[in-house]
């Protein structure tokens, strides 16, 4: 098995490990760095639970090789906010009830963050399109969309 | 959890180095672009190379040059998202952008590349499964087995080509450039795809697709891409129809072309459509129906997906073709 030293900036700090060539970015984050906030769902790119940010853009870490993104900067949900210092987006997910079991939430929050970087004030349609690589099996998406729009400054919706 | 099999990753920093590695390892090597198809297939044991040649550090392969004077050239490593959001391509070659925008979602489009999309493996519900599933249900001709479950007795594989960009490039008469240590060759895209889910492409294992080129003479054609799928996002096409045409001042069809995807082992131009429509009025319902019928007749979807019946996919090909021709006749790009 071919192993090689890997250096990646993860959540702002430089991390190093001896990693086999065939390790996915997801396995590197979860197993080598013990950053288990990034979730393993389908392992084939179709559910979005493993979404992380690579230089600010969303990326599916289960179908990315750890050695395949040299020199890039990775942000996982652990780097998106801290207990007691949550991001506006995380707070909006809580206040709008944009989660139930929570398994898809790390990926949703990061994908939504990347969307708001591209489109600061998205329409409902744009939020739905922007999150279309992320599946949620509990909420029915309505409250997730609402949370993202609230975080972007859209007024509260009356039921 | 299904781990990735072990392999050696090569990260060439020049195109010469990349083709040199392909020449050295031939069938035991696979090119890695965005990895959105290949890594899934590796996990499922559908490809088992010892060497992976990553294109991530090869410079100069991700340029999109687009002008009405020089036409369109797209580097193979350009991402689907950079194509889907390119204002110049949208203006001059709208059918390409329309097709790109239907692919999966924005995260995947930012990873997947144009070269990887054209060279996508063909798909079938007996094939795109885990090793465990395939072992339990019976391997097939395409990988590890001896018989086709879709067409028992056939010596061909009928897995469906399921890329969305190919038909859009086909209606624009695109060419691709293939590079190897033996030199470069240009291939018209409609000769690149083979009607066999096993061999798939006219591309040797040591060749690398570097560019897709569309001539300036095809700029500003009106274009439509329609795609049949289960959900409004994420899914591969179960049938796809691309159409392009120039509508002259008097409202007549010129250079009209239709191409189909996901209804056979290769994407293909609807032969005869251009000749039927040339010079006819864009509201000639009779001609439109004839072409729609032709498209439907030439499509050959097989039972390669549980999601939809072949007959329904075929029916929709005809309806997509009819509606695309009507839409191009009625309004601008
Ligand atoms: C959830 C999901 C949904 C998807 N939905 C769609 C969809 O709706 N429509 C669609 O068309 N596709 C879809 N795809 C498939 C795929 O993501 C895209 O087609 C993408 O463009 C593939 O590009 P890539 O760079 O990731 O390819 P890779 O996985 O890197 O490569 C794919 C194949 O092409 C070969 N290859 C790559 N680049 C070159 C090159 N330059 N020269 C020669 N060979 C090369 C590789 O060796 C490999 O065999 C989907 C995939 C997933 C996981
Ligand atoms: S068409 Fe037949 S040979 Fe091809 S993948 Fe499906 S079952 Fe296998």
């Amino acid at each position: 098995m071919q192993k090689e030293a890997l250096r990646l900036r993860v959540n702002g700090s430089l991390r190093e490990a001896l990693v086999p060539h065939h390790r996915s970015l997801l396995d590197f984050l979860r197993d080598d760095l013990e950053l288990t906030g990034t979730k393993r769902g389908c392992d084939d790119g179709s559910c979005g639970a493993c979404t992380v940010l690579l230089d600010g853009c969303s990326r599916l870490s289960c179908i990315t090789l750890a050695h395949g993104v040299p020199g890039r900067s990775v942000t996982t949900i652990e780097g998106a906010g801290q207990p007691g210092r949550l991001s506006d987006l995380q707070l909006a997910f809580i206040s709008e009830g944009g989660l139930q079991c929570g398994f898809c939430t790390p990926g949703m929050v990061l994908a939504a963050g990347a969307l708001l970087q591209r489109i600061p004030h998205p329409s409902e349609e744009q939020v739905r399109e922007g999150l279309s690589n992320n599946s949620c099996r509990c909420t029915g998406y309505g409250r997730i969309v609402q949370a993202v729009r609230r975080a972007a400054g859209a007024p509260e919706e009356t039921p | 959890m299904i781990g990735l099999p072990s392999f050696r990753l090569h990260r060439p920093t020049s195109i010469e180095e990349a083709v040199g590695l392909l020449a050295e390892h031939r069938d035991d090597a696979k090119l890695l672009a965005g990895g959105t198809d290949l890594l899934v297939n590796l996990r499922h044991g559908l490809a088992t190379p010892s060497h992976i040649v990553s294109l991530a550090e090869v410079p100069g392969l991700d340029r999109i040059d687009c002008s009405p004077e020089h036409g369109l050239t797209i580097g193979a490593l350009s991402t689907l998202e950079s194509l889907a959001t390119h204002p110049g391509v949208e203006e001059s070659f709208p059918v390409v952008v329309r097709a790109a925008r239907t692919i999966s979602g924005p995260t995947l489009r930012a990873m997947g590349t144009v070269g990887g999309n054209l060279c996508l493996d063909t798909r079938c519900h007996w094939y795109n499964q885990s090793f465990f599933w395939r072992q339990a249900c019976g391997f097939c001709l395409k990988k590890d087995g001896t018989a086709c479950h879709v067409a028992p007795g056939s010596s061909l594989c009928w897995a469906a080509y399921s890329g969305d960009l190919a038909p859009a490039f086909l209606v624009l008469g695109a060419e691709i450039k293939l590079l190897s240590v033996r030199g470069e060759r240009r291939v018209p895209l409609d000769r690149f795809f083979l009607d066999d889910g096993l061999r798939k492409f006219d591309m040797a294992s040591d060749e690398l697709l570097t560019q897709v080129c569309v001539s300036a003479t095809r700029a500003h054609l009106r274009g439509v891409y329609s795609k049949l799928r289960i959900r409004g996002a994420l899914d591969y096409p179960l049938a796809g129809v691309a159409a392009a045409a120039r509508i002259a001042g008097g409202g007549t069809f010129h250079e009209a072309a239709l191409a189909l995807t996901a209804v056979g082992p290769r994407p293909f131009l609807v032969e005869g459509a251009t000749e039927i429509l040339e010079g006819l009025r864009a509201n000639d319902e009779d001609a439109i129906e004839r072409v729609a019928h032709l498209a439907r007749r030439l499509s050959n979807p097989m039972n390669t997906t549980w999601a939809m019946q072949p007959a329904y996919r075929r029916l929709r090909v005809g309806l997509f073709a009819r509606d695309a021709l009507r839409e191009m006749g009625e309004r601008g790009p």
Side-chain angles (χ1 to χ4, degrees):
Chain A
M1 191 193 307
Q2 197 86 25
K3 277 193 177 183
E4 195 179 321
L6 172 67
R7 297 178 82 205
L8 266 188
R9 190 165 287 281
V10 179
N11 298 330
S13 9
L14 202 58
R15 307 294 298 260
E16 263 190 87
L18 203 57
V19 172
H21 279 179
H22 62 274
R23 177 140 315 166
S24 69
L25 181 59
L26 174 65
D27 291 346
F28 173 66
L29 293 169
R30 287 182 59 88
D31 302 342
D32 293 298
L33 304 187
E34 297 184 356
L35 291 170
T36 52
T38 308
K39 299 302 177 208
R40 181 193 312 285
C42 62
D43 250 349
D44 68 10
S46 47
C47 79
C50 69
T51 305
V52 297
L53 299 183
L54 211 63
D55 294 336
C57 296
S58 52
R59 180 102 192 185
L60 302 167
S61 62
C62 76
I63 47 172
T64 300
L65 291 181
H67 281 288
V69 288
R72 311 280 288 274
S73 169
V74 182
T75 308
T76 68
I77 194 65
E78 288 87 349
Q82 300 291 320
R85 279 191 292 122
L86 296 181
S87 69
D88 290 349
L89 203 50
Q90 288 170 312
L91 292 171
F93 267 72
I94 295 170
S95 65
E96 295 298 320
L99 62 148
Q100 284 182 33
C101 83
F103 196 80
C104 72
T105 312
M108 284 286 180
V109 168
L110 292 171
L115 168 69
L116 295 185
Q117 284 291 319
R118 279 186 286 126
I119 313 173
H121 301 288
S123 63
E124 178 181 336
E125 190 56 33
Q126 285 170 321
V127 176
R128 288 186 183 275
E129 214 281 321
L131 296 182
S132 58
N133 275 116
N134 297 72
S135 300
C136 169
R137 301 288 84 162
C138 324
T139 63
Y141 301 100
R143 284 168 181 269
I144 292 176
V145 175
Q146 221 167 292
V148 178
R149 298 206 62 218
R150 273 304 290 285
E156 193 168 355
E157 279 175 31
T158 41
Chain B
M1 168 187 171
I2 310 172
L4 282 164
S6 157
F7 50 73
R8 168 131 195 243
L9 181 69
H10 302 264
R11 282 159 299 176
T13 52
S14 72
I15 197 156
E16 294 76 21
E17 196 189 341
V19 290
L21 283 160
L22 291 181
E24 186 183 341
H25 300 293
R26 303 281 315 206
D27 288 338
D28 203 19
K30 270 280 188 191
L31 275 173
L32 175 75
T36 59
D37 188 43
L38 182 64
L39 291 184
V40 178
N41 291 350
L42 289 176
R43 253 185 227 287
H44 291 172
L46 298 173
T48 47
S50 312
H51 300 268
I52 298 285
V53 180
S54 164
L55 294 174
E57 288 166 65
V58 177
L61 277 178
D62 60 354
R63 276 179 67 102
I64 299 181
D65 290 306
C66 177
S67 76
E69 300 80 43
H70 299 109
L72 175 62
T73 55
I74 304 172
L77 221 53
S78 309
T79 65
L80 300 171
E81 189 67 1
S82 66
L83 186 61
T85 55
H86 197 291
V89 182
E90 183 171 16
E91 162 80 24
S92 302
F93 302 95
V95 66
V96 173
V97 166
R98 284 182 166 211
R101 286 191 183 151
T102 69
I103 300 172
S104 192
T107 304
L108 197 114
R109 285 198 298 270
M111 299 172 66
T113 66
V114 171
N117 187 272
L118 290 175
C119 300
L120 205 59
D121 196 359
T122 51
R123 298 183 65 80
C124 170
H125 56 202
W126 293 98
Y127 174 72
N128 297 100
Q129 304 285 356
S130 65
F131 184 85
F132 174 78
W133 190 103
R134 291 186 295 117
Q135 189 176 39
C137 292
F139 294 121
C140 75
L141 189 63
K142 188 160 160 74
K143 183 71 186 144
D144 303 322
T146 50
C148 171
H149 303 310
V150 167
S154 166
S155 58
L156 294 177
C157 163
W158 296 91
Y161 179 83
S162 306
D164 283 302
L165 287 182
F169 286 129
L170 282 173
V171 294
L172 297 178
E175 283 191 341
I176 52 168
K177 288 186 188 165
L178 298 172
L179 186 75
S180 71
V181 287
R182 291 165 284 127
E184 183 182 90
R185 62 188 183 110
R186 285 177 83 111
V187 181
L189 192 62
D190 66 341
R191 280 202 250 130
F192 176 64
F193 298 106
L194 307 179
D195 207 10
D196 172 359
L198 293 178
R199 285 183 57 228
K200 299 177 291 194
F201 314 115
D202 171 16
M203 178 168 69
S205 59
D206 67 342
E207 283 184 310
L208 187 150
L209 195 163
T210 54
Q211 254 181 10
V212 187
C213 314
V214 180
S215 149
T217 59
R218 310 293 285 177
H220 299 301
L221 264 63
R222 293 182 185 185
V224 175
Y225 180 67
S226 311
K227 169 172 175 175
L228 180 66
R229 55 182 161 183
I230 296 289
R231 297 170 284 194
L234 205 66
D235 288 332
Y236 286 90
L238 297 173
V241 177
R246 203 176 297 290
I247 308 294
T252 46
F253 279 121
H254 297 280
E255 302 167 57
L258 262 82
L260 313 183
T261 189
V263 287
R266 69 178 176 122
F268 59 92
L269 281 163
V270 176
E271 232 173 280
T274 311
E275 292 73 16
I276 293 178
L277 292 168
E278 187 63 28
L280 294 185
R281 292 201 64 78
N283 61 3
D284 185 331
E285 277 296 315
D286 191 45
I288 288 175
E289 283 299 344
R290 272 168 60 209
V291 172
H293 178 76
L294 184 64
R296 186 174 149 181
R297 196 164 53 79
L298 292 176
S299 73
N300 189 18
M302 301 280 281
N303 232 329
T304 51
T305 166
W306 283 295
M308 264 174 213
Q309 290 295 320
Y312 180 68
R313 289 159 66 201
R314 207 166 184 201
L315 178 83
R316 289 295 296 266
V317 165
L319 298 178
F320 280 152
R322 183 198 68 189
D323 293 349
L325 292 172
R326 281 184 183 161
E327 187 183 332
M328 289 194 297
E330 279 162 16
R331 57 168 194 82

